[in-house]
Amino acid sequence: MEQKMFCFQCEQTAGCKGCTGNSGVCGKQAGIAEMQDQLTGKLIGLARTIDGNEHLISHAANQVVREGLFATITNVNFDKEALSALLRRVDEVKRQIVPLCYECTSACGKNDDYDMEHLWTAGEDIRSLKSLILFGIRGMAAYAYHAAVLGYTDPEIDHFFYKALFAVGMEDWGMDELLPIVLEVGAVNLKCMELLDKANTETYGNPVPTEVSLTVEKGPFIVISGHDLFDLKQLLEQTKDKGINIYTHGEMLPAHGYPELKKHPHLKGNFGTAWQNQQKEFASIPAPVLFTTNCLMPPKTSYADRVFTTEAVAYPGLAHIGRVDKLSPATPNMV
Ligand code: SF4
């Protein structure tokens, strides 16, 4: 393929066809697109290693599959170091499962990573079916990740990630094999949304209609964006009685409806308009902004020193706050 990058996974894509230059419309550089392709190819290699043998699936494997897929969603991870760490983690997990593969002098290739060029240059039907599967599980992985942080997992959902990744790597599969898996992505995704809803409502209560102020009050404040409710909960607890107000932004707006979050009086309201206006709106506030999930646009220098990322989100030069699971606060798991 002659172009520097190829990515057509989101509605922002150039000319409604694909981002193919030095960087995508979202700001993703060609080198980062290549690393995200490598990461996807490695996850497919991991799925090949599992090859339907569910007893080989470990907690570490599930974690890196969720995080690895989540990191390749649009507007999440633009950072070479963070992606390198994920690439190493996939290798470590695979090495634990098939250590002898790494010493074999006559490798059979059965567990090899997948070269994503094969997907992007496949015929349009196969490329489209496989892309539907891949983009579907990327989004699903974000939901599964948020649920897992709260201690909610479902083996059926986790096992499906391997099945879907395996399918994307199958060179000789056609419509008959791929279409049922496309439909299964939809069915499993509904289960995953149900799991996240259960995790959120059992942890934070059933959401209730809530009036949300759009006014920023006097005094210090922090803006939090994305849709990881556990990150918001931690921020609210850490700023309790400190005279610092918290404002949601973008996709964090629904958080105001959850009883266990809205009970904090310093959760004051929502700042800003649509997420794509952030580069203009964040420049004008004297406050830090925390990004918890997908919605990060390359920050302008006027406010970049006030932007923090956490979980799967990362951008070169921005301060990154490591992850702490709800169930294991003593063992931070740095992305
Ligand atoms: S994720 Fe970025 S690079 Fe990919 S299609 Fe969307 S705008 Fe283009």
Side-chain angles (χ1 to χ4, degrees), residues 27-238:
K28 180 164 73 179
Q29 300 293 312
I32 295 298
E34 188 182 337
M35 289 185 82
Q36 292 187 354
D37 275 358
Q38 276 175 19
L39 179 56
T40 307
K42 274 199 183 298
L43 292 172
I44 292 170
L46 177 59
R48 286 172 166 172
T49 304
I50 302 288
D51 193 19
N53 295 301
E54 293 177 357
H55 67 279
L56 295 177
I57 298 173
S58 63
H59 178 66
N62 286 339
Q63 272 194 325
V64 82
V65 166
R66 289 185 215 115
E67 289 180 40
L69 288 169
F70 189 178
T72 59
I73 296 176
T74 309
N75 297 101
V76 172
N77 201 312
F78 301 80
D79 188 65
K80 196 173 155 191
E81 298 304 320
L83 291 168
S84 296
L86 276 165
L87 288 166
R88 287 194 298 274
R89 278 178 59 197
V90 184
D91 268 337
E92 281 161 22
V93 167
K94 198 166 144 187
R95 191 181 287 269
Q96 283 163 6
I97 299 170
V98 283
L100 296 178
C101 246
Y102 287 80
E103 295 161 16
C104 184
T105 50
S106 53
C108 64
K110 182 175 167 291
N111 301 327
D112 282 358
D113 300 338
Y114 178 66
D115 181 350
M116 293 290 282
E117 279 292 301
H118 294 197
L119 169 53
W120 307 137
T121 54
E124 60 185 4
D125 286 346
I126 298 306
R127 184 172 65 233
S128 299
L129 287 164
K130 287 188 173 182
S131 296
L132 275 171
I133 295 170
L134 179 60
F135 303 159
I137 60 171
R138 282 177 173 174
M140 196 167 90
Y143 296 143
Y145 178 98
H146 293 316
V149 166
L150 295 175
Y152 289 75
T153 56
D154 179 340
E156 186 185 341
I157 294 166
D158 279 324
H159 294 175
F160 181 71
F161 285 125
Y162 300 96
K163 180 178 178 178
L165 284 164
F166 188 91
V168 174
M170 285 305 288
E171 299 289 12
D172 54 353
W173 281 15
M175 179 86 77
D176 290 346
E177 291 87 2
L178 295 171
L179 187 56
I181 297 176
V182 170
L183 300 177
E184 207 177 339
V185 171
V188 180
N189 189 40
L190 281 177
K191 284 200 169 139
C192 193
M193 291 170 76
E194 197 175 23
L195 178 72
L196 179 58
D197 181 60
K198 182 175 157 71
N200 283 339
T201 54
E202 289 187 355
T203 308
Y204 306 115
N206 277 314
V208 293
T210 302
E211 195 166 315
V212 180
S213 169
L214 300 178
T215 304
V216 175
E217 298 181 12
K218 277 189 180 171
F221 67 100
I222 298 171
V223 174
I224 179 167
S225 194
H227 41 81
D228 192 312
L229 301 184
F230 182 53
D231 290 332
L232 173 60
K233 176 73 173 163
Q234 290 177 92
L235 185 61
L236 288 167
E237 286 170 354
Q238 289 162 15

Side-chain angles (χ1 to χ4, degrees), residues 5 7-14 18-19 23-28 33 72-75:
M5 64 182 282
C7 181
F8 73 148
Q9 75 171 351
C10 83
E11 78 283 1
Q12 301 175 78
T13 200
C19 295
S23 68
V25 174
C26 63
K28 180 164 73 179
T72 59
I73 296 176
T74 309
N75 297 101

